[in-house]
């Protein structure tokens, strides 16, 4: 989705963010001067890179052209909630995204277990199929799905949107789960079988219980995909009370005069959840996302 | 007894499997091992929801897209079978080739631009610097922030002659560039935006690969008198080559499939200068209501991407068996 989004490294190394490189002894011999030079360079680059984000935040809290307020204000935020359907859009986005996350994990975890534990021709064939499907342009599926869903009343419907998000997440999500399950030793399961556990029992009681990082990593991936999607939303959503946040933000541009204070206020609301998710959970997000699982298998 | 069989079936299947999570060279995969019938039944049920979704969301649409691409219908009516006529129309149209060229350029710049920036930052951040961890998180933001949000911000920054960046150019006496109104500048802007969005992904991939490089090699190399550049080109790059290769191909897939980055910033304009194949397919179907040709474009992209991803899949398989 666009996912693709999005994606990360070798099986093992968890995403670089948390596990920042250890100090490289040779390079650090360059000494303090080199260190501060690097710090200055990174500081400058980061500042430039973040300009668009800083601008968004700044405008969201700056009084608009028709405002009497001075200094920084929450007026834009409260206006966007009182004068637009922002609350509804936020709710729609939350419902769709959370359902996507839950269903995607519920579908991908068992499938990933089979991919990890059961190697047969059928299973590796399925694994290839998932892999190929994840790289296809979603636009190819969108047109036929639009017709199918129109017949089922799923156009302009949050459930229809969720089904597509789950479908487009689950290919990569399954690979991510499988890569994680590969790292759980089978001896743990063998012990449970001796105690009389079935294969399904050992999956739920032993493997799943030890898979929190893998599940969280998959959940973050599904979250980002569903929260950020624009293509599926623009095709499937028609009425403004069904809009998700991306459509809501875009709706500001359909007027002749763009209300920058309003759109930036909504933009800030929209970027907060992914930032919060990343700030709190990024240690679980092994670059593993896509790349990691793909590279690891 | 059945249980015992299940266990052996599973363990036997498992024994031949590489520890995928470790990244170490894998033992040969024994794909022929037979699972017991009970295990197979459990596996069947565990896999079923995934298969149903794959068929519904990917399989059926792909087949039906094939139908649409060979018919002259609309979104409502499938229409008459016209064979490969839609493909011929598409391949004969200038708009298609223009979009294909732009997609190619966009992809090349997107892949190597974000790789170069990502690699540079990953190398800078590899050594310990004050607040290094914080910078790593901050530099991820362009990738984490929704495209709708960042394209809005970029639009505010460069969208009109009175926007911030054109004003700065004007005050520096460099004229007033029309970043989104001039075809060449719009194409450049879209690509710079794409690199801005994607470099954190490359940075993450590269950082993870760099973290697994054993630093003692560098000590040995510097004792042998290798310069920094030699160390980089002859040690670092080869050691992260596999990860680099995979990230290139993944980013290629992301770039070719990218819709929002382009559509939200320029809508494909001005004068189609930034229309990629996805944008063209979208507009053909949903704005010009020509379902057949639109789906045919998507189909041609699909074929290209299947080839790319099969190559990638093989490469991964091969390198994990080596």
């Amino acid at each position: 989705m666009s996912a693709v989004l999005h994606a990360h490294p070798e099986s093992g190394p968890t995403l670089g963010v948390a596990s920042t490189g250890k100090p490289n002894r040779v390079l650090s011999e360059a000494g303090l001067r080199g260190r501060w030079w690097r710090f200055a360079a990174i500081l400058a680059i980061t500042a430039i890179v973040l300009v668009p984000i800083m601008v968004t935040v700044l405008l969201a809290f700056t009084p608009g052209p028709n405002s009497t307020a001075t200094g920084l204000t929450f007026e834009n935020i409260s206006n966007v909630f009182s004068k637009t359907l922002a609350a509804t859009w936020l709710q729609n986005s939350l419902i769709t995204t959370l359902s996507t996350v839950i269903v995607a994990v519920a579908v991908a975890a068992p499938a990933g277990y089979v991919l990890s534990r059961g190697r047969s021709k059928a299973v590796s064939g399925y694994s290839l199929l998932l892999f190929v499907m994840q790289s296809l342009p979603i636009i190819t599926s969108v047109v036929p799905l639009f017709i199918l869903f129109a017949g089922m009343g799923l156009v302009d419907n949050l459930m229809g949107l969720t089904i597509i998000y789950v479908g487009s997440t689950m290919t990569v999500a399954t690979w991510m789960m499988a890569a994680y399950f590969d790292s759980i030793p089978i001896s743990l399961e063998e012990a449970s079988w001796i105690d009389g556990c079935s294969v399904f029992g050992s999956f739920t009681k032993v493997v799943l219980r030890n898979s929190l990082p893998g599940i969280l990593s998959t959940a973050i991936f599904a979250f980002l995909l569903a929260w950020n999607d624009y293509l599926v939303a623009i095709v499937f959503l028609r009425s403004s009370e069904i809009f998700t946040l991306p459509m809501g933000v875009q709706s500001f541009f359909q007027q002749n005069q763009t209300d920058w204070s309003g759109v930036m206020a909504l933009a800030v609301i929209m970027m907060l959840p992914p930032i919060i998710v990343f700030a709190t959970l990024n240690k679980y997000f092994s670059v593993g996302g896509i790349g990691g699982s793909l590279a690891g298998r | 007894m059945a249980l015992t069989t299940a266990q052996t079936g599973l363990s036997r299947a498992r024994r031949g499997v590489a520890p995928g999570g470790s990244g170490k060279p894998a033992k040969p995969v024994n794909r022929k091992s037979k699972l017991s019938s009970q295990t197979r039944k459990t596996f069947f049920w565990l896999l079923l929801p995934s298969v149903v979704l794959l068929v519904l969301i990917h399989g059926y649409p792909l087949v039906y897209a094939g139908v649409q691409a060979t018919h002259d219908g609309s979104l409502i009516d499938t229409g008459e079978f016209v064979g490969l006529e839609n493909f011929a129309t598409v391949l004969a149209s200038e708009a298609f080739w223009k979009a294909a060229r732009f997609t190619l350029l966009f992809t090349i710049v997107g892949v190597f631009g974000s790789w170069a920036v990502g690699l540079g930052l990953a190398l800078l951040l590899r050594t310990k610097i004050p607040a290094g961890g914080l910078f790593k998180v901050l530099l991820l933001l362009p990738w984490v922030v929704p495209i709708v949000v960042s394209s809005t911000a970029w639009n505010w920054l460069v969208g009109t002659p009175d926007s911030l960046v054109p004003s700065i150019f004007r005050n520096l006496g460099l004229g007033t560039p029309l970043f989104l109104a001039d075809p060449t500048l719009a194409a450049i802007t879209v690509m710079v935006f794409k690199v801005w969005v994607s470099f954190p992904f490359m940075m993450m991939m590269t950082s993870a690969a760099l973290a697994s490089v054993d630093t003692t090699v560098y000590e040995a190399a510097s004792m042998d008198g290798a310069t920094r550049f030699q160390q980089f080109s002859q040690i670092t790059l080869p050691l992260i080559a596999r990860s680099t290769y995979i990230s290139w191909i993944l980013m290629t897939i992301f770039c070719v499939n990218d819709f929002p980055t382009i559509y939200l910033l320029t809508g494909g304009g001005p004068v189609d200068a930034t229309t990629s194949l996805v944008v063209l397919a979208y507009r053909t179907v949903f704005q010009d209501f020509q379902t057949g040709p639109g789906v045919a474009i998507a189909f041609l992209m699909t074929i290209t991407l299947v080839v790319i991803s099969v190559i990638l899949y093989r490469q991964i398989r091969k390198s994990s068996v080596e």
Side-chain angles (χ1 to χ4, degrees):
Chain A
M1 252 81 282
S2 57
V4 188
L5 303 269
H6 297 61
H8 329 314
E10 314 289 339
S11 28
T14 43
L15 185 21
V17 182
S19 65
T20 353
K22 312 146 223 163
N24 178 315
R25 267 172 286 169
V26 171
L27 291 182
S28 63
E29 275 170 23
L32 269 183
R33 205 160 37 133
R35 205 177 125 172
W36 285 106
W37 178 85
R38 280 196 178 76
F39 177 77
I42 287 281
L43 188 66
I45 294 169
T46 308
I48 294 169
V49 160
L50 293 187
V51 163
I53 294 164
M54 293 186 291
V55 159
T56 307
V57 175
L58 201 65
L59 284 175
F61 294 102
T62 305
N66 304 320
S67 166
T68 52
T70 49
L72 295 185
T73 170
F74 284 92
E75 190 184 55
N76 299 330
I77 307 264
S78 61
N79 275 349
V80 87
F81 275 113
S82 60
K83 293 180 185 165
T84 72
L85 288 170
T88 312
W89 298 334
L90 178 61
Q91 193 188 335
N92 291 344
S93 267
L94 286 173
I95 292 173
T96 320
T97 304
L98 293 181
S99 331
T100 301
V101 168
I102 293 166
V103 182
V105 170
V107 171
Y113 178 74
V114 177
L115 248 58
S116 167
R117 298 305 198 236
R119 289 289 169 103
S120 67
K121 275 203 172 139
V123 170
S124 29
Y126 190 66
S127 152
L128 170 66
L129 201 60
L130 284 177
F131 187 83
V132 170
M133 291 302 178
Q134 63 88 25
S135 63
L136 298 190
I138 188 88
I139 187 87
T140 318
S141 312
V142 154
V143 185
L145 282 176
F146 183 81
I147 296 162
L148 176 71
F149 279 21
M152 298 163 74
L154 289 173
V155 168
D156 209 12
N157 180 310
L158 294 180
M159 199 204 277
L161 209 59
T162 307
I163 294 173
I164 300 182
Y165 290 161
V166 172
S168 49
T169 320
M170 67 70 133
T171 47
V172 177
T174 305
W175 272 62
M176 289 171 73
M177 290 308 305
Y180 192 82
F181 292 149
D182 279 350
S183 70
I184 296 181
I186 194 142
S187 52
L188 280 182
E189 285 177 80
E190 281 166 345
S192 78
W193 297 328
I194 290 165
D195 295 340
C197 218
S198 64
V199 171
F200 181 73
S202 77
F203 165 61
T204 53
K205 291 184 194 135
V206 178
V207 176
L208 272 190
R209 280 203 186 167
N210 287 295
S211 299
L212 188 65
I215 290 172
L216 282 178
S217 173
T218 307
I220 295 170
F221 172 76
F223 175 90
L224 289 178
L225 186 134
W227 189 263
N228 296 346
D229 167 75
Y230 179 70
L231 176 54
V232 179
I234 194 184
V235 170
F236 282 82
L237 300 183
R238 301 280 127 150
S239 37
S240 54
E241 62 275 16
I242 301 293
F243 280 0
T244 48
L245 280 173
M247 293 294 288
V249 171
Q250 271 314 98
S251 68
F252 278 79
F253 291 96
Q254 284 156 10
Q255 300 142 13
N256 294 334
Q257 188 77 43
T258 305
D259 165 18
W260 286 107
S261 310
V263 73
M264 293 305 193
L266 193 57
V268 164
I269 293 164
M270 192 185 168
M271 74 184 178
L272 269 183
I275 290 178
I276 292 170
V277 165
F278 246 81
T280 51
L281 298 178
N282 99 43
K283 68 175 165 173
Y284 294 108
F285 194 65
S286 52
V287 166
I290 311 168
S293 46
L294 298 189
R297 291 185 64 80
Chain B
M1 197 59 219
L3 190 60
T4 324
T5 333
Q7 291 163 16
T8 27
L10 191 55
S11 342
R12 203 187 323 121
R14 177 62 190 151
R15 233 177 286 132
V17 175
S22 73
K24 292 188 190 100
K27 279 173 263 167
V29 174
N30 178 4
R31 291 192 195 122
K32 296 237 172 70
S33 58
K34 289 271 182 295
L35 301 172
S36 82
S37 69
Q38 200 212 343
T39 307
R40 208 183 299 170
K41 212 179 279 176
T42 309
F43 279 7
F44 171 80
W45 288 109
L46 290 176
L47 209 51
L48 189 63
S50 160
V51 174
V52 169
L53 260 174
L54 192 82
V55 170
L56 173 71
I57 301 297
H58 300 274
Y60 160 82
L62 208 56
V63 172
Y64 196 77
V67 172
Q68 285 181 316
T70 50
H71 285 68
D72 65 357
S74 63
L75 270 181
I76 308 141
D77 175 22
T78 311
E80 300 286 314
F81 180 77
V82 294
L84 296 177
E85 199 179 288
N86 289 323
F87 288 92
T89 314
V90 164
L91 289 172
S93 78
E94 204 192 315
F96 173 81
W97 291 107
K98 194 175 176 189
R101 274 197 304 275
F102 179 74
T103 307
L104 184 67
L105 186 65
F106 177 78
T107 303
I108 292 172
V109 174
V111 171
F112 293 104
S114 60
W115 178 68
V117 177
L119 174 67
L121 286 168
L123 287 171
L124 268 178
L125 284 165
R126 181 162 64 150
T127 32
K128 209 180 169 96
I129 57 161
L134 179 65
F135 284 123
K136 273 207 168 182
V137 174
L138 287 177
L139 285 169
L140 283 188
L141 284 179
W143 190 65
V144 170
V145 166
I147 298 282
V148 172
V149 171
S150 45
S151 67
T152 301
W154 276 66
N155 215 316
W156 186 86
L157 284 167
V158 304
T160 69
D162 295 326
S163 300
L164 186 64
V165 178
S167 306
I168 293 174
F169 273 78
R170 189 164 52 235
N171 289 329
L172 291 172
L174 297 170
T176 307
L178 301 170
F179 286 102
L180 300 182
D182 174 85
T184 312
L185 274 182
I188 294 172
T189 309
V190 168
M191 288 181 232
V192 173
F193 181 48
K194 180 63 182 172
V195 170
W196 182 84
V197 170
S198 306
F199 83 83
F201 170 78
M202 289 299 203
M203 189 182 83
M204 287 193 284
M205 291 286 283
T206 318
S207 286
L210 286 175
S212 65
V213 172
D214 183 359
T215 52
T216 53
V217 244
Y218 294 103
E219 288 170 25
S222 69
M223 269 191 262
D224 291 342
T227 63
R228 278 278 192 75
F229 180 75
Q230 282 172 329
Q231 289 180 25
F232 171 73
S233 62
Q234 287 168 34
I235 302 177
T236 309
L237 277 186
L239 283 176
I240 62 169
R242 178 167 165 248
S243 157
T244 303
Y245 181 74
I246 289 170
S247 64
W248 283 353
I249 299 200
L250 282 174
M251 189 53 73
T252 303
I253 294 171
F254 298 160
C255 285
V256 174
N257 282 336
D258 191 16
F259 176 77
T261 305
I262 296 169
Y263 191 79
L264 288 171
L265 202 55
T266 64
V271 261
D272 296 341
T274 59
T275 298
S276 69
L277 288 172
V278 185
V279 173
L280 184 65
Y282 171 80
R283 290 209 306 216
T284 312
V285 174
F286 292 100
Q287 286 170 12
D288 307 339
F289 303 106
Q290 295 184 298
T291 313
V295 177
I297 296 168
F299 232 84
L300 292 169
M301 292 175 56
T302 301
I303 293 165
T304 317
L305 288 165
V306 168
V307 172
I308 296 177
S309 68
V310 169
I311 294 172
L312 172 60
Y313 186 88
R314 284 220 177 139
Q315 192 69 24
I316 294 171
R317 274 288 151 130
K318 208 168 75 188
S319 55
S320 67
V321 175
E322 268 161 11

